[in-house]
Amino acid sequence: ATSINGNTISIEISTVDMTADTVVTTDTGVTETLVSPSTERDNLVSQYATLMSQIDQLQADSGYKGLNLLDVADTLTVNFEGTNKIEIAGFNGNVGGLLMNAAAAGNWGDDTLIDGDIAKMDAAIDTLESKAGSLASSLSIVTTRQDFTASMINTLTTGADALTLADMNEEGA
């Protein structure tokens, strides 16, 4: 349906072919170009490729003191008193490890490919949230043990000071 209101022409379209370079509708001799999807998609493909590159760079730069828990090859081992320890395994946090490789190798000529890549990004976010929860749980264990150990050291130091700093004449009476 077409309606004209002053200088505005409104055209209602029920289907659109997004594979063409431009979307064109013709109604009673009036032709209006609505969008140029190839240019928009090319820009979005470029932005997506840049995002994937930045994720890989972020993963590579996430190390601290030679350890990167966003790398499957690295494991953090925290030793407690005696033989007790906790091992925190790294995971593959790059584009390949998060299964975010673009479906069409940088070509989104079909909406289903875009939807597929969006689903991959959603799955990667879920994976990162799960891994963050696991790392937070491990941090909580380490922090609790560290706090307990510090408290125990303070208690033992206070007790040892009370014994060694006591006045022997006063204590003997």
Side-chain angles (χ1 to χ4, degrees):
T2 303
S3 64
I4 301 173
N5 182 7
N7 293 330
T8 304
I9 299 174
S10 300
I11 302 171
E12 187 176 314
I13 301 172
S14 60
T15 60
V16 176
D17 179 11
M18 295 299 287
T19 58
D21 282 344
T22 58
V23 176
V24 176
T25 181
T26 305
D27 192 11
T28 62
V30 176
T31 302
E32 179 69 26
T33 300
L34 300 176
V35 69
S36 177
S38 65
T39 303
E40 261 183 72
R41 285 186 189 219
D42 289 347
N43 289 337
L44 292 173
V45 166
S46 175
Q47 290 175 12
Y48 188 75
T50 300
L51 177 64
M52 296 301 105
S53 174
Q54 289 174 349
I55 289 172
D56 281 345
Q57 289 172 5
L58 181 64
Q59 182 268 346
D61 294 340
S62 293
Y64 178 71
K65 292 189 177 183
L67 183 68
N68 186 351
L69 292 179
L70 295 179
D71 188 351
V72 73
D74 287 349
T75 300
L76 173 65
T77 302
V78 180
N79 293 311
F80 300 114
E81 192 64 34
T83 60
N84 295 325
K85 65 181 176 182
I86 185 171
E87 290 187 352
I88 303 165
F91 65 96
N92 197 349
N94 63 14
V95 171
L98 293 172
L99 304 176
M100 292 178 63
N101 295 331
N107 181 8
W108 283 342
D110 184 356
D111 288 350
T112 57
L113 297 175
I114 296 171
D115 292 339
D117 284 342
I118 290 171
K120 288 177 182 182
M121 285 188 276
D122 289 339
I125 289 169
D126 291 343
T127 299
L128 289 172
E129 287 174 347
S130 172
K131 296 297 184 179
S134 176
L135 290 172
S137 175
S138 297
L139 174 63
S140 177
I141 291 169
V142 170
T143 301
T144 301
R145 300 259 330 222
Q146 183 181 22
D147 292 346
F148 173 79
T149 302
S151 177
M152 181 64 80
I153 289 170
N154 288 338
T155 300
L156 293 174
T157 301
T158 302
D161 287 348
L163 289 174
T164 57
L165 300 175
D167 182 3
M168 295 313 270
N169 291 329
E170 190 177 314
E171 296 297 326

